[in-house]
Amino acid sequence: MRNVAQGPIAWRSELWGSPLRALATVLLLGLLAWAGFHAFEWGVVHAVFRPDADACRAVQHGACWGVVAEKWRPMLFGRFPYEEQWRPAIAVVVLSAVTVLSAWPRSWHWWLAPLWGVALLLFVGLMRGGVAGLSVVPTSRWGGLPLTIGLAVVGLALAFPLALLLAMGRRSEWPVVRTLSASYIELVRGVPLISVLFMASFLLPLLWPAGWQPDVLVRVLMGLTLFVAAYLAEIIRGGLQAVPRGQTEVAMALGFGRWPVQRDIVLPQALRLVVPALTNSVVGTLKDTSLVTVVGLFELTGALGLALGGDPVWRPFYLEGYLFVAAVYWLLCFGLSRYSVWLERRLGTSSA
């Protein structure tokens, strides 16, 4: 309560505590007001909201949100067949619903794993088709928001168990396991994601038997999973090191085995301690999915290029399109950050 009471006083002291601070505050507020006024004037007052390209070109100092009204479907769903775009819409809802349910601590039970299996089958079935009378849509035509969320969610779900094994392996008492885990983590962290995607797309097929090549989406997902796992492993290892060693020694002295100690005592505490760092990695992974455009998969930002690049009527309004895509990314990332704060408070690990 004392910190809460002192909050407004501290803010007043920081902003108005001296003539120099007061001057800086006035200048900053004036700059924000000037920028906000011009942004409001450009984005609202003089903006065109209807899908009328002629009206947009006639406006000299206003935004053309009509490009969003005209192109929102190819922006969100890429090259997926227009008349079948209800399928990726439902697929995104299903995958997002299971993800949100999984974020609720009360749902952390055994039935969550089979539920994820069902959700992934529905997602793939709706996107690819070939079942229940749905036409087949190759992965080369998947794109937009479903591809972004699918790569991020599935990649993280596959990377997390591998990251746990790598983190525990790097702290293992067996030199071979420790060396192999450390070598993998340092090797993967030493190269950029874009090079991993290139290798997964163009070099990995050379290692497969002739006549059988995995789909490019599967190869990209494998590369993303292996890359993210290395970063998550270091985050989890930091949490494991923060758990006092005395707790492990006491538990083993009481008769607990090595694995029950790790599963029931060490890992729950370690994961609670690294919730902010894990959230940061999740947000980074979500945004890094935009790099798959370089290997021919058109996620949210790539779908924007497809929607506007081949249309000379709406091509001049890329800025508004990018702002729309940025707003979608911001909503997703902001939601993740707020969930992180809520989870910290629920688990009792927040320092606020």
Side-chain angles (χ1 to χ4, degrees):
M1 294 297 294
R2 183 178 180 182
N3 290 336
V4 175
Q6 289 182 348
I9 298 176
W11 273 96
R12 285 196 296 268
S13 177
E14 285 291 326
L15 297 177
W16 311 100
S18 67
L20 184 59
R21 290 182 179 180
L23 178 61
T25 300
V26 170
L27 292 176
L28 181 60
L29 290 176
L31 179 62
L32 291 176
W34 176 83
F37 172 77
H38 285 282
F40 181 78
E41 190 177 37
W42 175 80
V44 178
V45 176
H46 300 303
V48 176
F49 293 91
R50 63 187 185 277
D52 187 342
D54 293 331
C56 288
R57 283 191 291 269
V59 175
Q60 298 295 326
H61 303 289
C64 176
W65 302 119
V67 67
V68 178
E70 176 71 19
K71 295 289 187 178
W72 68 271
R73 290 184 65 166
M75 286 181 189
L76 292 182
F77 302 118
R79 294 185 293 182
F80 206 91
Y82 187 87
E83 64 281 358
E84 299 282 341
Q85 287 178 358
W86 59 270
R87 290 164 48 181
I90 296 177
V92 167
V93 171
V94 169
L95 196 59
S96 300
V98 177
T99 303
V100 171
L101 181 63
S102 304
W104 192 29
R106 290 186 180 181
S107 67
W108 295 346
H109 298 290
W110 65 269
W111 49 264
L112 198 59
L115 181 63
W116 265 101
V118 173
L120 290 176
L121 287 176
L122 284 173
F123 182 84
V124 175
L126 287 168
M127 293 294 294
R128 190 177 189 280
V131 294
L134 298 176
S135 61
V136 176
V137 178
T139 56
S140 59
R141 301 198 66 181
W142 297 13
L145 186 61
L147 185 60
T148 295
I149 293 181
L151 284 173
V153 171
V154 179
L156 286 165
L158 295 175
F160 193 79
L162 178 59
L164 279 175
L165 294 176
L166 288 170
M168 298 176 68
R170 192 160 188 178
R171 301 181 75 246
S172 174
E173 297 178 356
W174 298 341
V176 175
V177 175
R178 187 170 61 249
T179 301
L180 289 175
S181 299
S183 300
Y184 172 83
I185 292 172
E186 297 303 330
L187 176 64
V188 174
R189 290 200 309 162
V191 296
L193 176 58
I194 193 170
S195 65
V196 174
L197 296 177
F198 268 114
M199 287 187 288
S201 299
F202 304 115
L203 297 183
L204 187 61
L206 301 178
L207 304 178
W208 294 98
W212 186 79
Q213 297 293 342
D215 187 89
V216 62
L217 179 59
V218 176
R219 301 198 302 267
V220 167
L221 182 61
M222 290 172 56
L224 182 67
T225 299
L226 295 175
F227 184 85
V228 173
Y231 283 85
L232 290 179
E234 285 299 276
I235 295 173
I236 296 172
R237 186 172 71 93
L240 293 173
Q241 291 180 337
V243 177
R245 190 175 182 84
Q247 295 189 19
T248 303
E249 297 172 350
V250 170
M252 296 187 68
L254 292 174
F256 287 87
R258 182 177 300 275
W259 293 113
V261 168
Q262 295 292 325
R263 183 186 66 237
D264 301 328
I265 297 175
V266 177
L267 277 176
Q269 296 184 73
L271 294 178
R272 287 190 184 98
L273 293 172
V274 297
V275 167
L278 287 175
T279 303
N280 185 62
S281 185
V282 170
V283 170
T285 302
L286 176 64
K287 293 186 293 185
D288 284 345
T289 57
S290 60
L291 294 176
V292 302
T293 305
V294 301
V295 294
L297 295 176
F298 298 97
E299 42 61 69
L300 198 56
T301 55
L304 171 64
L306 289 176
L308 300 184
D311 191 340
V313 176
W314 295 101
R315 190 184 303 160
F317 308 107
Y318 260 105
L319 176 59
E320 290 83 349
Y322 274 115
L323 289 175
F324 171 72
V325 170
V328 174
Y329 273 112
W330 182 85
L331 286 174
L332 295 173
C333 296
F334 181 74
L336 288 170
S337 66
R338 298 315 302 170
Y339 168 72
S340 173
V341 173
W342 174 83
L343 187 61
E344 286 182 70
R345 292 173 178 171
R346 184 179 178 88
L347 299 178
T349 60
S350 178
S351 58

